[in-house]
Amino acid sequence: MAKLPSDIILNGCCIEEMKKLPDECVDVVFADPPYNLQLKDDLTRPDQSRVDGVTNDWDQFESFRAYDEFTRAWLSEAQRVLKKNGSLWVIGSYHNIFRLGTAVQDLGFWIQNDVVWVKSNPMPNFRGTRFTNAHETLIWAAKSPKGRPTFNYHSLKAANEDVQMRSDWTLPLCTGAERLKKLGAKVHPTQKPEALLHRILTATSEPGDVVLDPFFGTGTTGAVAKRLGRRYIGIERDGTYIQAAAERIAAVNRPKNEKDLAPIPAPRKAPRVGFGQVVEAGMLRPGTTLRCAKGKHRARVKADGSLAAELIEGSIHKVGATLQNAPSCNGWTFWHYERAKGSYAPIDELRQAIRARPS
Amino acid sequence: MAKLPSDIILNGCCIEEMKKLPDECVDVVFADPPYNLQLKDDLTRPDQSRVDGVTNDWDQFESFRAYDEFTRAWLSEAQRVLKKNGSLWVIGSYHNIFRLGTAVQDLGFWIQNDVVWVKSNPMPNFRGTRFTNAHETLIWAAKSPKGRPTFNYHSLKAANEDVQMRSDWTLPLCTGAERLKKLGAKVHPTQKPEALLHRILTATSEPGDVVLDPFFGTGTTGAVAKRLGRRYIGIERDGTYIQAAAERIAAVNRPKNEKDLAPIPAPRKAPRVGFGQVVEAGMLRPGTTLRCAKGKHRARVKADGSLAAELIEGSIHKVGATLQNAPSCNGWTFWHYERAKGSYAPIDELRQAIRARPS
DNA sequence: CATGCCACTGAATCTGTAC
DNA sequence: GGTACAGATTCAGTGGCAT
């Protein structure tokens, strides 16, 4: 197979351009599609025919239908090019997010979360007839119910005062120096803040991953991808936007040190160590008594790396679960050994010592 | 025309019961329909306790298509009975809100706002696989594009420290004494907080208005309507819920004085700021070296908002604590960055800058 | 009576690998 | 594909009870 092009901007309709890409070749799709539901003038059907102005119910239905057709067309291609364990992100407001979400579900994506971008500095409602429109909605979905997207849980938690990252993200609009301008006018009407893409990409991708943005605009996705050591493929119809995006991304520095980009490793991915290895290594002798943190439960270490309690024997996990009458148990943190006279520590310490040994 | 019955609970299917009501007879419809959750297995907390999920029959649907058909049927009736300038409110989560929103638009309602109920105390994600599901979404819509729903802009603004009420509402879950229980068990799995209905009804209805709730459950809508001097029509299939609702509403006092109907103040807690936001905002680039006040300890900023020192990585707090061999550490005051050549300042400055951003 | 500790709980599409 | 099993994983708040 030819090498997948990346770190490029393709000029054209996103549906046509995606069709040229092979199956399952990108790790993340981020899409900020046009809203256009009210501004019927520039809404076109997938076949490029125009939708007429809207005044009555039939036309309204017709325009929703055209938007839905367009949505399903590009989402289908996005699904095809997305890897099995890839992530789809779409963003929208109440004008279009319900159409997007319904299409995402109907096509068989599996929603992981919806996320609200709460704007710390939204535009006020000048007429006083509605609530200040202070948020937009993102949908994070897997390619299918079986997909297992990357999720850097521990990174997010560490970055969030050591509590889980929630589904509401408070971030400012894209303003100031970050906002691209030309002759004093903004280049793109809905440029997204880099902080938003930063969080999305650190959460659901890894360095080296390929991020596809079918509505590239002025290239926020590309700029953040480059800064975070990800690769990008942008698709955009408008030449003005492409030029602005290209200049912008060229000015971004790639990170010097790969280590600064790596997410905190997930304990689940650490090499597997069996309790038998602890016994083999002589860290615990057969016959040693282990106890739970409070000393309520006890069991003896057996030479084969299993545990024996009064009426039961088996793995450190099984025995712990049975004694507690629980469906499961992490024996590594449940069982403690006497590290010094009267001082107990979880046997997970011993596992860590084995993992730290040079291999 | 016969006088419209009100302050009653109708026992039956909401579609059938609504069909018995005349056209354009209610001012507000508030609907909290089944979410169509698809829970496969039991879920346990890390302490092995079981999560009491929503497994009721009424929440089960065969398919998206069946759910959509049901949705369109009850929404059509709701639209018919709604007055020309009435308000529709629906609430849901990512499982169903996109279906609801699409149906609302297709039927010709006109969305005024979507509103997010940000939960101050949501249930965490116990497996570390997703973002904490910390919000639900409401849709506020007019009967048609020509509808002009009641909107008490000035009371909301007065209740919100004289700034416009926004589309994100931070409110706690329904817990404590407000939560209806019977023999220690919750009567209804998804009872909504009264504060939520309070804000909805003070915003988009007037005293004396009729509020229809086709999924009445244990009657939060009725209780708040009565307290606020509105009338209500509840529809509910389940006799147990109806009985609980009736008792509950009977215990609510109607207001003696119209002047007492002022809206509740909007609680606004300062949002938590994580170190990740500092990195996302571009205030510190990945690879930047931080040091403690005396320069003894150093660590590098990572792109994901964690810190990396020689042998350890984690949050600013964890890394600071480990390096000092202390049980805990306030990373915001411990770590310093080079603000100017040779001049260091605590990173707490950067947090303050984020907090100072307009909200 | 104040304080601290422990138990309990909430609309949840909540694992990964080997055999 | 199904089964078995190792083992990773929680925040804000309420309420009861002991000290």
Side-chain angles (χ1 to χ4, degrees):
Chain A
M1 193 186 93
K3 192 175 177 304
L4 180 74
S6 70
D7 297 339
I8 52 166
I9 310 176
L10 306 172
N11 186 353
C13 158
C14 69
I15 299 169
E16 298 309 315
E17 293 303 315
M18 281 194 278
K19 279 186 179 163
K20 299 175 188 168
L21 299 176
D23 291 355
E24 312 212 327
C25 64
V26 307
D27 300 279
V28 175
V29 173
F30 173 84
D32 181 14
Y35 299 1
N36 280 358
L37 285 175
Q38 267 68 9
L39 316 167
K40 312 297 179 190
D41 288 345
D42 53 354
L43 177 62
T44 54
R45 298 190 180 88
D47 63 4
Q48 302 298 322
S49 64
R50 290 283 294 279
V51 173
D52 292 336
V54 175
T55 46
N56 59 38
D57 290 347
W58 185 86
D59 275 344
Q60 180 185 308
F61 175 75
E62 186 61 19
S63 77
F64 280 135
R65 201 171 68 176
Y67 189 81
D68 292 344
E69 272 178 31
F70 171 68
T71 298
R72 276 152 214 259
W74 72 257
L75 268 177
S76 294
E77 283 305 310
Q79 191 174 32
R80 184 185 61 76
V81 301
L82 191 60
K83 289 184 187 171
K84 209 161 103 353
N85 291 325
S87 279
L88 170 79
W89 284 88
V90 296
I91 181 168
S93 68
Y94 67 81
H95 306 91
N96 68 332
I97 195 66
F98 306 117
R99 328 293 309 182
L100 288 173
T102 297
V104 163
Q105 290 180 312
D106 286 348
L107 289 174
F109 288 99
W110 195 246
I111 297 181
Q112 305 287 116
N113 279 112
D114 61 338
V115 169
V116 286
W117 167 27
V118 175
K119 301 175 183 181
S120 53
N121 52 347
M123 174 111 70
N125 180 293
F126 292 113
R127 298 172 52 158
T129 53
R130 304 182 181 200
F131 300 100
T132 306
N133 215 319
H135 74 278
E136 293 190 32
T137 300
L138 298 117
I139 298 172
W140 171 37
K143 180 182 174 116
S144 81
K146 290 182 182 167
R148 291 288 175 271
T150 296
F151 185 58
N152 297 314
Y153 176 79
H154 290 92
S155 288
L156 289 159
K157 188 171 172 178
N160 193 44
E161 300 287 273
D162 288 324
V163 295
Q164 289 188 345
M165 187 66 79
R166 301 166 34 121
S167 60
D168 58 311
W169 301 354
T170 301
L171 297 169
L173 296 171
C174 179
T175 57
E178 189 186 324
R179 186 86 197 211
L180 297 186
K181 304 224 173 168
K182 195 162 189 179
L183 303 175
K186 40 193 182 194
V187 176
H188 193 282
T190 64
Q191 184 182 339
K192 295 290 176 288
E194 296 195 0
L196 186 70
L197 272 293
H198 187 121
R199 192 171 297 183
I200 288 171
L201 294 184
T202 52
T204 60
S205 75
E206 290 170 15
D209 278 1
V210 176
V211 183
L212 168 67
D213 185 338
F215 305 95
F216 202 59
T218 47
T220 304
T221 303
V224 176
K226 184 176 177 187
R227 178 169 298 124
L228 294 179
R230 276 72 169 169
R231 291 176 288 161
Y232 64 90
I233 301 174
I235 307 177
E236 175 56 49
R237 294 194 311 189
D238 186 310
T240 312
Y241 295 161
I242 290 181
Q243 196 189 334
E247 289 170 13
R248 170 188 189 182
I249 296 170
V252 170
N253 292 319
R254 278 202 176 280
K256 289 174 196 142
N257 194 334
E258 287 275 319
K259 284 188 298 185
D260 297 329
L261 299 175
I264 294 180
R268 270 205 184 91
K269 290 189 177 162
R272 209 123 137 175
V273 172
F275 184 62
Q277 290 174 254
V278 172
V279 181
E280 282 167 11
M283 291 169 162
L284 290 175
R285 294 290 175 200
T288 306
T289 297
L290 302 184
R291 36 170 283 181
C292 71
K294 296 183 185 167
K296 185 176 167 195
H297 301 294
R298 283 153 195 278
R300 279 189 342 280
V301 174
K302 293 179 63 183
D304 62 2
S306 64
L307 280 193
E310 288 268 313
L311 296 166
I312 173 163
E313 59 182 47
S315 72
I316 53 173
H317 313 295
K318 263 262 173 69
V319 173
T322 305
L323 291 178
Q324 292 178 96
N325 199 20
S328 72
C329 167
N330 183 341
W332 293 108
T333 49
F334 180 73
W335 293 110
H336 292 58
Y337 73 106
E338 193 168 17
R339 187 171 44 182
K341 194 79 182 171
S343 159
Y344 289 83
I347 59 174
D348 199 37
E349 274 193 3
L350 305 173
R351 179 171 65 159
Q352 284 170 27
I354 288 179
R355 281 189 177 140
R357 290 193 303 208
S359 62
Chain B
M1 192 186 93
K3 190 174 178 305
L4 180 74
S6 72
D7 297 340
I8 52 165
I9 310 176
L10 306 172
N11 185 353
C13 158
C14 68
I15 300 168
E16 297 309 314
E17 293 303 315
M18 281 194 278
K19 280 185 178 164
K20 300 175 188 168
L21 299 176
D23 290 356
E24 311 212 327
C25 64
V26 306
D27 300 279
V28 175
V29 173
F30 172 83
D32 180 14
Y35 284 15
N36 192 24
L37 299 184
Q38 294 170 29
L39 311 178
K40 288 191 203 93
D41 301 311
D42 281 353
L43 178 64
T44 54
R45 299 186 179 81
D47 67 1
Q48 307 289 359
S49 62
R50 242 185 95 248
V51 173
D52 185 13
V54 181
T55 51
N56 309 59
D57 288 344
W58 50 252
D59 201 47
Q60 305 296 314
F61 288 82
E62 290 249 330
S63 61
F64 282 136
R65 176 188 291 270
Y67 188 81
D68 291 343
E69 272 179 29
F70 171 71
T71 298
R72 276 153 212 261
W74 72 256
L75 267 177
S76 295
E77 283 305 310
Q79 191 173 32
R80 184 184 60 77
V81 302
L82 193 61
K83 289 183 186 170
K84 207 160 109 342
N85 291 324
S87 279
L88 169 78
W89 285 87
V90 296
I91 181 169
S93 66
Y94 67 85
H95 311 85
N96 68 327
I97 195 66
F98 306 117
R99 328 292 311 182
L100 288 174
T102 297
V104 163
Q105 290 180 313
D106 285 349
L107 290 173
F109 288 99
W110 194 249
I111 297 180
Q112 305 284 116
N113 280 110
D114 61 338
V115 168
V116 285
W117 167 27
V118 176
K119 301 176 182 181
S120 53
N121 52 348
M123 187 157 71
N125 180 290
F126 295 120
R127 290 288 174 274
T129 53
R130 303 180 178 201
F131 300 101
T132 308
N133 211 324
H135 74 278
E136 295 190 28
T137 301
L138 298 117
I139 298 171
W140 171 36
K143 180 181 175 115
S144 81
K146 291 180 183 165
R148 291 291 174 267
T150 297
F151 185 59
N152 298 314
Y153 176 78
H154 292 288
S155 355
L156 287 163
K157 190 169 173 180
N160 195 38
E161 310 202 332
D162 282 327
V163 294
Q164 288 189 354
M165 186 68 78
R166 300 163 38 115
S167 60
D168 57 308
W169 302 353
T170 301
L171 298 169
L173 298 175
C174 179
T175 60
E178 189 187 325
R179 187 87 196 206
L180 298 186
K181 304 228 172 168
K182 195 162 188 180
L183 301 175
K186 51 190 177 191
V187 176
H188 194 284
T190 69
Q191 186 181 338
K192 293 291 174 288
E194 295 195 0
L196 186 70
L197 272 294
H198 190 123
R199 193 170 296 179
I200 288 171
L201 294 184
T202 50
T204 60
S205 74
E206 289 169 14
D209 278 1
V210 176
V211 183
L212 168 66
D213 185 338
F215 304 95
F216 202 57
T218 47
T220 303
T221 303
V224 176
K226 184 176 177 187
R227 178 168 302 125
L228 294 178
R230 276 71 169 170
R231 291 176 289 160
Y232 64 90
I233 301 174
I235 307 177
E236 176 54 49
R237 292 193 313 188
D238 185 307
T240 311
Y241 297 161
I242 290 181
Q243 196 189 334
E247 290 170 13
R248 172 189 187 180
I249 296 170
V252 171
N253 293 319
R254 279 202 173 281
K256 291 174 190 136
N257 190 330
E258 292 260 330
K259 284 185 292 188
D260 298 338
L261 300 182
I264 50 166
R268 300 238 21 185
K269 262 205 294 192
R272 190 194 298 273
V273 173
F275 184 64
Q277 286 175 258
V278 171
V279 182
E280 282 168 2
M283 292 170 164
L284 291 175
R285 291 294 177 196
T288 307
T289 296
L290 303 183
R291 36 169 283 181
C292 70
K294 295 185 184 163
K296 183 176 167 196
H297 300 294
R298 283 155 194 278
R300 280 193 339 280
V301 174
K302 291 180 59 184
D304 62 4
S306 64
L307 280 194
E310 288 270 313
L311 295 165
I312 174 165
E313 59 184 32
S315 68
I316 53 173
H317 313 296
K318 278 230 174 95
V319 172
T322 305
L323 291 178
Q324 295 179 96
N325 200 19
S328 70
C329 164
N330 182 345
W332 292 108
T333 50
F334 179 73
W335 293 109
H336 292 58
Y337 74 106
E338 193 168 18
R339 187 171 45 180
K341 194 81 182 169
S343 159
Y344 289 83
I347 57 175
D348 198 39
E349 274 192 5
L350 305 174
R351 177 168 68 161
Q352 284 168 25
I354 286 180
R355 285 213 172 116
R357 292 191 302 208
S359 68

